[in-house]
Each structure stands twice: as C-alpha cells, then as structure tokens.
C-alpha cells in the first residue's frame, strides 16, 4: 500500500534521509519509531507529497505521490501542529474540507461530534491544544481517508479521549481496511495499537517487522544461580544488558526465546523466569547496538 524505495533527501549539507525504505501493508497500523532528528517527519512529508525526494520513489497504492491530486484525495495527515485558518470556526473549517475532499461524509461528521464534543461556532485558535486535536480528528476522519498518516497525533489529549479516538481509528481499519502510519515518541501508545513497527535511525530504516516478531528477537529474563552468573554462560548467549538486585539477575538477551531459555537452563539456574519486554526496551536495545547513546536511560 505504502512503499518508499531508496529515498535520499538533503537540506544543504545535511542528509535527512539516506536511502530510506518503508513498506506498509494495506489495512495495517504501522508505527514509525526513532529518536529526534532521525528523519520521521521528513519521510512523512514525502508520503503526503509535501516534499519531492532527491533520489528514490514514493508510491501509495502503486501510484507516485508527488503532484498526484487524485491520490491525495485519499491521503490525510494530522501532525502535532495541525494547520487551520486562524479566523475559522470549527463549522467553517469542516465546510472547507467538505469543499475539497469529495468523500467527506457529513453523516459521519455529525456522528463523531457526539463523541468529540466541541462547540462548532467556536474559533479554532481559541481552543486548547487537546481540543484542536479533537477537531482535527473529527474533520479528517469524516473525509473517509484510505490512508491516514499521524505525526505525534495524541499529544495534548487526555487518556480517555486518546482511547476514544484510537477506537474510532481501529474500527476504520477493521471495517474499511484503512491504512494507518503513526509516528510517535510515546512507544506505549504504539505498542497498544500497532501491528507493524519500523525503526528509523540517521535517515535509514534499521528494522521493519511485525511487532510480535520484533519483540521475539530480544528476550528479558530473570534468573538466580547458586553463585554468580556463570562466565561460561556469558560466552554462550548474546547479553545486551545485565542488572543485579540481590541474588536476582535481570538479563536482556538477543536471540530466539527457546534458544535463549535452553542455553541458560543448561547451567541449572535456581530460578528462571521470562519477563514481558516492552516496545520501549526493544527500541533502546536495538538502537543501542547501533551506537546510539542510551547511557542515561534506565529501563
């Protein structure tokens, strides 16, 4: 559905994207993860047709995005600073979108208004950041997009409203096979909704996998031995991080779950327990292996 290949983009001497690749399947919710300055917003601006790549191709549904007005009818984006006309009310902004997007669904707009309850005659500029986001979601989702691109979309919303909006989006994915790409610093939000994750670093895609597979490559275990952690074990497994509390060792280990468990159990631990790994931990240890500095981060 969304495919970018070999994307290079430079701004002066700065290379923001360096051979970037991404593949997003139709009807999926894809989380794009990366540190500040990694290139997330730059690639989003390519996917929405705001920027033209210096090299490479950007396609959605098999069509090039750049200067493709028909395709852009099907692609909508909400970013951290959603654009609106300063003097417009909520109602006027909705009418503006309705005049541009031919699939705008007035019935759905009214129905979403029952959930996202913002007075339509209020000027958008006078609303709080969270209320502006609610207006953005109400209007954009009423355009019935086939592709929804979200850049830090839930910042400013309270937890209840975040849940309500994500439930609407998940419903659209299930009912209409809408494709969603979400870029967010809140990894817990991505973990709750995404089925695929891509990790971007220095303008390149480092890893792109289903979320379950991404987590499956790194294990977190807690174990106790009669003495210290066996030196031989350290040579048997790829330990990314070790912490000790009392007699309990917490290990972050790279490798398949069954293989890691089998190697540790060969050394007859008194206690062995596998602990659920968060997306945040996967992100830290994958990028840590690339030399990204996580020295001051405590997991």
């Amino acid at each position: 559905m969304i495919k970018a290949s070999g994307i290079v983009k430079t701004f002066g001497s700065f290379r923001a994207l360096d051979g970037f690749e991404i593949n997003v399947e139709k009807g999926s919710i894809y989380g794009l993860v990366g540190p500040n300055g990694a290139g997330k917003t730059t690639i989003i601006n390519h996917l929405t047709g705001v920027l033209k790549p210096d090299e490479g191709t950007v396609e959605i549904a098999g069509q090039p995005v750049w200067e493709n007005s028909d395709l852009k009818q099907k692609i909508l984006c909400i970013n951290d600073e959603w654009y609106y006309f300063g003097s417009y009310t909520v109602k006027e902004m909705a009418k503006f979108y309705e005049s541009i997007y031919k699939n705008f669904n007035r019935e759905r707009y009214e129905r979403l208004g029952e959930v996202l309850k913002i007075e339509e005659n209020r000027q958008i500029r006078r609303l709080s950041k969270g209320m502006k986001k609610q207006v953005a979601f109400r209007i954009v989702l009423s355009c019935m997009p086939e592709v929804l691109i979200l850049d830090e979309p839930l910042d400013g919303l309270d937890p209840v409203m975040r849940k309500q909006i994500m439930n609407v989006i998940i419903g659209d994915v299930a009912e209409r096979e809408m494709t969603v790409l979400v870029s967010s610093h809140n990894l817990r939000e991505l973990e709750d909704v995404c089925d695929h994750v891509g990790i971007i670093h220095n303008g390149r895609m480092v890893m792109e996998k289903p979320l379950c597979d991404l987590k499956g490559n790194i294990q977190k275990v807690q174990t106790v031995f009669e003495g210290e952690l066996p030196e031989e074990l350290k040579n048997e497994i790829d330990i990314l991080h070790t912490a000790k509390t009392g007699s309990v060792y917490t290990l972050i280990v790279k490798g398949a779950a069954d293989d890691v468990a089998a190697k540790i159990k060969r050394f007859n631990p008194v206690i062995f327990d596998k602990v659920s790994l968060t997306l945040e931990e996967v992100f830290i240890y994958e990028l840590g292996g690339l030399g990204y500095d996580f020295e001051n981060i405590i997991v």
Side-chain angles (χ1 to χ4, degrees), residues 4 12 29 34 36 94 124 129 138 157 159 165 171 208 213 244 252 257:
I29 303 178
N36 290 333
I124 299 175
K129 184 174 183 178
R138 181 181 179 185
L157 295 173
I165 287 174
E208 189 178 42
D213 290 352
K244 187 180 181 184
I252 307 294

Side-chain angles (χ1 to χ4, degrees), residues 15-298:
R15 201 175 182 92
L17 296 175
D18 187 16
F20 184 83
E21 312 271 340
I22 190 170
N23 293 276
V24 182
E25 298 177 6
K26 182 178 175 63
S28 67
I29 303 178
Y30 184 108
L32 184 62
V33 183
N36 290 333
K40 299 189 299 297
T41 298
T42 304
I43 190 59
I44 284 174
N45 285 335
H46 282 78
L47 296 178
T48 54
V50 174
L51 293 177
K52 183 180 180 181
D54 300 334
E55 299 176 23
T57 59
V58 180
E59 295 183 346
I60 292 181
Q63 301 180 49
V65 178
W66 180 252
E67 293 188 337
N68 188 335
S69 57
D70 289 339
L71 181 61
K72 289 180 182 180
Q73 281 277 324
K74 304 172 184 178
I75 306 167
L76 281 99
C77 178
I78 299 175
N79 55 28
D80 191 38
E81 294 294 336
W82 181 66
Y83 180 79
Y84 57 89
F85 295 122
S87 62
Y88 272 34
T89 64
V90 175
K91 182 185 293 186
E92 289 168 336
M93 201 67 199
K95 286 183 177 179
F96 176 76
Y97 268 73
E98 189 173 17
S99 70
I100 293 175
Y101 291 95
K102 60 186 180 183
N103 289 329
F104 188 95
N105 188 317
R106 174 56 62 170
E107 181 182 349
R108 185 167 210 231
Y109 175 78
E110 300 299 339
R111 194 165 63 248
L112 285 173
E114 297 172 4
V115 178
L116 310 174
K117 299 177 180 179
I118 306 295
E119 170 56 48
E120 285 200 282
N121 290 319
R122 293 186 65 179
Q123 283 188 317
I124 299 175
R125 68 180 178 181
R126 300 187 183 280
L127 300 176
S128 68
K129 184 174 183 178
M131 294 172 77
K132 288 174 184 175
K133 282 289 177 72
Q134 293 180 51
V135 172
F137 275 104
R138 181 181 179 185
I139 293 175
V140 166
L141 290 172
S142 297
C143 294
M144 309 301 285
E146 292 184 19
V147 175
L148 180 63
I149 297 176
L150 305 173
D151 190 6
E152 300 295 339
L154 303 180
D155 189 30
L157 295 173
D158 64 67
V160 173
M161 189 54 63
R162 290 183 184 198
K163 183 69 173 177
Q164 288 179 319
I165 287 174
M166 289 313 303
N167 284 343
V168 173
I169 291 173
I170 290 169
D172 276 2
V173 171
E175 294 171 19
R176 303 193 291 108
E177 287 193 291
M178 181 175 71
T179 303
V180 183
L181 184 144
V182 188
S183 170
S184 176
H185 291 297
N186 192 327
L187 301 183
R188 289 176 183 169
E189 286 176 355
L190 295 183
E191 189 168 23
D192 289 341
V193 300
C194 293
D195 46 48
H196 286 70
V197 173
I199 298 178
I200 179 175
H201 182 55
N202 288 340
R204 289 178 172 270
M205 183 66 80
V206 175
M207 183 173 295
E208 189 178 42
K209 289 184 177 181
L211 181 58
C212 57
D213 290 352
L214 185 64
K215 286 186 175 183
N217 191 48
I218 300 179
Q219 316 305 321
K220 183 177 183 180
V221 300
Q222 290 184 327
T223 186
V224 175
F225 294 91
E226 290 186 356
E228 299 297 316
L229 185 69
E231 287 296 324
E232 297 88 345
L233 176 59
K234 297 177 184 179
N235 298 324
E236 287 281 327
I237 58 178
D238 185 3
I239 300 176
L240 302 177
H241 180 76
T242 304
K244 187 180 181 184
T245 304
S247 60
V248 179
Y249 285 93
T250 299
L251 307 176
I252 307 294
V253 185
K254 195 160 190 175
D258 291 345
D259 185 50
V260 169
K263 288 179 177 178
I264 292 176
K265 288 177 180 179
R266 280 171 42 200
F267 291 85
N268 301 314
V270 177
I271 296 173
F272 174 84
D273 187 27
K274 183 179 176 182
V275 182
S276 296
L277 198 66
T278 67
L279 179 57
E280 185 175 27
E281 289 172 318
V282 172
F283 173 69
I284 287 171
Y285 291 110
E286 284 291 352
L287 286 189
L290 295 171
Y292 191 79
D293 184 13
F294 287 104
E295 207 171 271
N296 297 318
I297 294 179
I298 299 174

